[in-house]
C-alpha cells in the first residue's frame, strides 16, 4: 500500500441529480436545512421523516461540538428569517442536552419564543422525540407564561392543539406573577369549572380585546361582521382575508378601501414573505379585486424591499432563477407556495432594485424580457411561466456569463444540478477580484452546487435574506451567526423605524 495517498475528496459528493456537488460543513448544512424547512410534508428529494432525522442528527453532533452556534442560529432563524417551527424544535434540543449551560439555553429560548404559542411547539417536539420534560425547560416555560399578558394567553390558548396553554400550565406549575395571571391560569386550566371570578375576568379580557376569529365565530360570516372585523385585521391576517372581504362586497366600498390603504402603509412592519404578497395578488386578479386594492398590494411590496438591496449599484447584477422541476416542490403539504414561486419573488425583488439582467434556467436558458417598471406580479409570472426541466446551472452560466459585464451574480436555486456549475462560475470569479457570486438556497439539501467557501450563501424565503447576503459579503456566515453579528440587521431596522424610514 503506498504511503503517498491521493488527497481526500470527501468534500466532493454528487448532488441528488448526479452532478458535481460539495459537502457542506455541519454548521452550513444545519443553517440551510433550518432556513428552508417547515417540516410539514415531503420535499422533492426527501421525505419529511428523513428531513426531521437529518435535523436531529445534526443537532446531536453540533450540540457536542458547537452549542453556541446552535443557540444563535435558533434566534437568527426566528428573528431574521421569521421561522417558527424549526427554531422551537432547536430549543427543545438545547433544553434536552444536559451539557449545554442553562443560561445559554434560556437566552436562546426567549429569543425564539416571541409569539404566544412557540413554547407549545417546543413542548410538542419534546414529546414527539420521546423525551422527558426537563425541569429547566419547565422553569423556562413557567417564566414565559408569566411574561405573557392575559390577553396573549387567551389569544393563544390553543385548546385544539396537542399542547395547549392549559397543558403548559399543568406541566410547569407557574407561580402567578400577579392576580390577573392567577385568574387566567385558573380559567385556562379549569375552563367552566373555574371560579366565577376567573370566568368573569377572562370574559372581560376577551370582550375588551376581541380577536377577529372570535368575532366571526360568535357572529357568523356576513358583510356586517366582516366590516366589524376589519379594524382587528393586521398583517398576514389582513392579506389572507382580502378574499373574504371581496366575497362580501367590501373591497368596492370606498371607506373600506381607505382603511386598507392606511393599514398597508404599515406593511414594512408586517414581516410578510414576498411570496405571500404574490399569492394575494394572484388571487386578486383571479377574483377581480378593485384596481385600487391591487395597486396598494404592489406598493406594499415595494415598501418591503430592504434598504440594503435598494443601495446596491444599478446595472451590475445578474439574477439567475432556477425553474427546474424540483423547484415545483411545495413549502409544506398545505401551502399554496412552491419553491419556484419563492425564487421568482426574491429574484424579481433584486432585479427591480438593481436592474442588470434577469434570466431563468432549467435544461435551457430563458432571458426574461421585463422592465424594472413592470408590475411585480407581471415579472414573477414571466419567470414562473417557463421551465420544468432538469437543473443545468453550469450550461446556463456558460451561455449567459460571457455577455454579462457586471460583477455580481445572484443565483436562486435548490442546488441539485445535473452538471458542473462550479467550474464555470469559478472561472468567471477568477477574472476579477471584485466579482461576487451569491447563492440563495431554497432547498436545504445536503449536497451543494458550489463549495462552501467559494460563494456567499444563505437560505430562506424572507426578503430579509437580501440584507443578509449583503452582511455576509465580507464576513463568514457561520462566524457571523455564532458571534451574533446578525443582530446588526435588527439594529439598523430599529434605527430606520425611529427615523421614520422603512423596515426591511
Amino acid at each position: 500500500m503506498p504511503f503517498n495517498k491521493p488527497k481526500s475528496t470527501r468534500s466532493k459528493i454528487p448532488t441528488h441529480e448526479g452532478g458535481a456537488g460539495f459537502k457542506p460543513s455541519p454548521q452550513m448544512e444545519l443553517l440551510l436545512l433550518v432556513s428552508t424547512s417547515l417540516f410539514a410534508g415531503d420535499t422533492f428529494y426527501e421525505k419529511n421523516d428523513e428531513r426531521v432525522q437529518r435535523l436531529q442528527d445534526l443537532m446531536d453532533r453540533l450540540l457536542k461540538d458547537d452549542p453556541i452556534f446552535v443557540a444563535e442560529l435558533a434566534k437568527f432563524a426566528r428573528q431574521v428569517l421569521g421561522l417558527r417551527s424549526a427554531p422551537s424544535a432547536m430549543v427543545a434540543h438545547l433544553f434536552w442536552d444536559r451539557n449545554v449551560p442553562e443560561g445559554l439555553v434560556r437566552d436562546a429560548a426567549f429569543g425564539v419564543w416571541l409569539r404566544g404559542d412557540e413554547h407549545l411547539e417546543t413542548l410538542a417536539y419534546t414529546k414527539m422525540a420521546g423525551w422527558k420534560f426537563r425541569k429547566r425547560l419547565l422553569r423556562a416555560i413557567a417564566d414565559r407564561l408569566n411574561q405573557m399578558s392575559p390577553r396573549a394567553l387567551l389569544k393563544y390558548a390553543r385548546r385544539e392543539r396537542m399542547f395547549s396553554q392549559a397543558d403548559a400550565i399543568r406541566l410547569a406549575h407557574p407561580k402567578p406573577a400577579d392576580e390577573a395571571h392567577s385568574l387566567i391560569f385558573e380559567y385556562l386550566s379549569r375552563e367552566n369549572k373555574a371560579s366565577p371570578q376567573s370566568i368573569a375576568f377572562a370574559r372581560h379580557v376577551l370582550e375588551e380585546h376581541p380577536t377577529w376569529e372570535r368575532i366571526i365565530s360568535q357572529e357568523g360570516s356576513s358583510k356586517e361582521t366582516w366590516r366589524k372585523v376589519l379594524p382587528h385585521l393586521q398583517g398576514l391576517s389582513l392579506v389572507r382575508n382580502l378574499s373574504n372581504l371581496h366575497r362580501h362586497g367590501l373591497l368596492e366600498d370606498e371607506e373600506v378601501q381607505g382603511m386598507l390603504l392606511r393599514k398597508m402603509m404599515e406593511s414594512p412592519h408586517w414581516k410578510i414573505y414576498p411570496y405571500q404578497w404574490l399569492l394575494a395578488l394572484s388571487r386578486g386578479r383571479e377574483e377581480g379585486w378593485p384596481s385600487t386594492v391591487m395597486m396598494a398590494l404592489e406598493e406594499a411590496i415595494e415598501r418591503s424591499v430592504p434598504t440594503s438591496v435598494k443601495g446596491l449599484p444599478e446595472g451590475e447584477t445578474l439574477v439567475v432563477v432556477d425553474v427546474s422541476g424540483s423547484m415545483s416542490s411545495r413549502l409544506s403539504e398545505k401551502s399554496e407556495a412552491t419553491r419556484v414561486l419563492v425564487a421568482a419573488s426574491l429574484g424579481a425583488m433584486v432585479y427591480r432594485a438593481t436592474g442588470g439582467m434577469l434570466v431563468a434556467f432549467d435544461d435551457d436558458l430563458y432571458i426574461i424580457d421585463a422592465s424594472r417598471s413592470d408590475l411585480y406580479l407581471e415579472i414573477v409570472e414571466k419567470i414562473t411561466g417557463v421551465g420544468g426541466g432538469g437543473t443545468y446551472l453550469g450550461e446556463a452560466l456558460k451561455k449567459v456569463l460571457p455577455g454579462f459585464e457586471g460583477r455580481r451574480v445572484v443565483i436562486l436555486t435548490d442546488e441539485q444540478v445535473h452538471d458542473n456549475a462550479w467550474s464555470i462560475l469559478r472561472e468567471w470569479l477568477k477574472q476579477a477580484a471584485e466579482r461576487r457570486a451569491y447563492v440563495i438556497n431554497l432547498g436545504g439539501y445536503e449536497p451543494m452546487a458550489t463549495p462552501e467557501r467559494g460563494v456567499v450563501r444563505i437560505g430562506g424565503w424572507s426578503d430579509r435574506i437580501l440584507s443578509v447576503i449583503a452582511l455576509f459579503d465580507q464576513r463568514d456566515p457561520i462566524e457571523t451567526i455564532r458571534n451574533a453579528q446578525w443582530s446588526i440587521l435588527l439594529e439598523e431596522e430599529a434605527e430606520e423605524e425611529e427615523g421614520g424610514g422603512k423596515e426591511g
Side-chain angles (χ1 to χ4, degrees):
M1 178 182 294
F3 291 102
N4 191 22
K5 300 176 183 179
K7 292 182 179 180
S8 171
T9 58
R10 287 192 305 166
S11 63
K12 294 184 178 181
I13 57 174
T15 68
H16 285 283
E17 290 295 345
F22 297 84
K23 186 176 180 62
S25 67
Q27 288 88 344
M28 178 59 74
E29 185 181 354
L30 183 63
L31 167 60
L32 297 180
L33 177 63
V34 165
S35 61
T36 58
S37 302
L38 294 177
F39 297 101
D42 299 341
T43 63
F44 194 86
Y45 294 108
E46 278 184 313
K47 298 292 186 183
N48 191 59
D49 289 347
E50 295 171 341
R51 218 161 169 85
V52 172
Q53 186 61 55
R54 194 151 61 91
L55 171 69
Q56 293 174 341
D57 292 344
L58 285 166
M59 290 296 294
D60 288 344
R61 177 175 179 178
L62 287 173
L63 284 176
K64 293 186 180 71
D65 300 338
D66 202 351
I68 293 176
F69 172 77
V70 172
E72 288 299 326
L73 176 58
K75 293 191 293 182
F76 172 82
R78 178 65 186 93
Q79 295 181 34
V80 176
L81 302 183
L83 298 167
R84 296 193 177 103
S85 295
S88 296
M90 295 172 73
V91 167
H93 278 272
L94 286 160
F95 274 114
W96 177 246
D97 193 316
R98 294 182 186 276
N99 295 317
V100 180
E102 185 167 355
L104 179 66
V105 179
R106 285 178 66 91
D107 177 67
F110 288 102
V112 167
W113 295 342
L114 304 182
R115 203 173 78 167
D117 57 354
E118 285 156 341
H119 59 288
L120 304 180
E121 285 283 304
T122 297
L123 286 173
Y125 184 90
T126 302
K127 179 74 171 178
M128 182 205 74
W131 301 334
K132 293 180 180 179
F133 298 114
R134 299 273 197 226
K135 288 183 179 179
R136 61 182 187 172
L137 168 59
L138 298 180
R139 286 195 297 268
I141 286 178
D143 290 343
R144 176 61 179 145
L145 291 167
N146 271 311
Q147 276 186 353
M148 294 171 63
S149 68
R151 176 192 179 191
L153 287 163
L154 292 172
K155 178 179 179 180
Y156 296 102
R158 296 296 188 255
R159 298 192 189 281
E160 75 286 357
R161 302 292 179 89
M162 186 169 68
F163 276 90
S164 65
Q165 297 294 3
D167 295 318
I169 292 166
R170 284 191 287 267
L171 285 167
H173 302 293
K175 182 179 179 181
D178 48 39
E179 185 179 1
H181 281 83
S182 178
L183 293 171
I184 291 298
F185 290 166
E186 183 189 353
Y187 173 77
L188 288 170
S189 300
R190 303 189 65 193
E191 284 192 77
N192 294 332
K193 295 180 180 179
S195 67
Q197 185 182 9
S198 294
I199 294 172
F201 180 70
R203 287 176 177 170
H204 169 72
V205 173
L206 289 169
E207 290 168 3
E208 188 176 30
H209 303 286
T211 62
W212 69 268
E213 300 100 327
R214 181 177 173 81
I215 295 172
I216 294 294
S217 176
Q218 288 181 336
E219 301 184 21
S221 181
S222 68
K223 182 174 183 176
E224 289 311 310
T225 308
W226 280 103
R227 188 185 295 274
K228 184 177 180 180
V229 156
L230 184 54
H232 302 282
L233 294 174
Q234 195 78 3
L236 192 55
S237 68
L238 173 63
V239 173
R240 283 179 170 169
N241 278 300
L242 288 172
S243 279
N244 284 318
L245 297 175
H246 174 69
R247 194 174 298 119
H248 290 90
L250 289 169
L251 291 187
E252 301 286 351
D253 186 300
E254 290 186 4
E255 183 181 350
V256 170
Q257 288 182 5
M259 186 180 296
L260 288 175
L261 292 176
R262 289 192 295 274
K263 282 177 173 287
M264 287 189 186
M265 290 299 294
E266 298 298 316
S267 59
H269 308 289
W270 290 353
K271 306 299 185 291
I272 293 179
Y273 293 140
Y275 77 82
Q276 291 171 326
W277 289 114
L278 278 168
L279 289 174
L281 279 166
S282 296
R283 195 173 301 114
R285 192 176 60 184
E286 291 171 7
E287 297 178 357
W289 297 355
S291 59
T292 302
V293 176
M294 296 293 284
M295 287 307 302
L297 288 169
E298 283 277 352
E299 290 168 3
I301 294 171
E302 187 63 31
R303 285 193 295 271
S304 298
V305 179
T307 303
S308 58
V309 176
K310 290 182 177 179
L312 292 175
E314 294 191 7
E316 293 194 351
T317 302
L318 169 63
V319 183
V320 183
V321 182
D322 184 349
V323 292
S324 64
S326 62
M327 294 289 284
S328 64
S329 173
R330 295 188 180 274
L331 301 188
S332 72
E333 287 179 337
K334 296 182 179 180
S335 176
E336 297 177 66
T338 60
R339 295 176 195 277
V340 73
L341 178 65
V342 176
S345 69
L346 293 170
M349 191 169 280
V350 175
Y351 175 68
R352 290 183 76 189
T354 64
M357 189 174 185
L358 176 62
V359 303
F361 77 95
D362 53 4
D363 45 21
D364 201 352
L365 179 72
Y366 308 93
I367 307 297
I368 305 300
D369 183 17
S371 166
R372 295 170 62 190
S373 60
D374 287 348
L375 293 176
Y376 187 59
L377 179 59
E378 292 175 353
I379 298 176
V380 169
E381 288 184 333
K382 287 179 180 180
I383 299 171
T384 57
V386 296
T391 313
Y392 288 85
L393 176 58
E395 285 300 310
L397 294 176
K398 190 184 297 184
K399 291 176 183 177
V400 73
L401 282 178
F404 175 61
E405 297 181 355
R407 60 182 184 181
R408 182 188 302 109
V409 175
V410 178
I411 305 170
L412 300 105
T413 176
D414 63 4
E415 298 200 60
Q416 300 314 298
V417 297
H418 288 264
D419 54 7
N420 188 337
W422 175 235
S423 63
I424 307 300
L425 188 58
R426 178 180 56 196
E427 286 304 310
W428 179 80
L429 289 169
K430 285 168 58 177
Q431 291 172 18
E434 67 271 16
R435 288 182 173 179
R436 292 285 187 277
Y438 305 85
V439 174
I440 299 177
N441 185 299
L442 301 169
Y445 304 110
E446 181 184 8
M448 303 185 304
T450 62
E452 191 163 328
R453 302 293 178 180
V455 301
V456 180
R457 181 183 277 100
I458 188 59
W461 311 319
S462 168
D463 52 9
R464 279 177 160 184
I465 66 174
L466 305 180
S467 298
V468 172
I469 61 172
L471 178 68
F472 286 176
D473 198 344
Q474 302 298 328
R475 298 176 173 89
D476 174 70
I478 304 305
E479 286 300 319
T480 301
I481 291 173
R482 184 186 291 115
N483 297 329
Q485 291 175 307
W486 55 268
S487 61
I488 294 171
L489 298 175
L490 304 183
E491 293 168 3
E492 290 174 350
E493 288 179 1
E495 289 175 3
E496 288 174 357
E497 186 175 352
E498 290 174 5
K502 64 164 290 299
E503 183 175 353

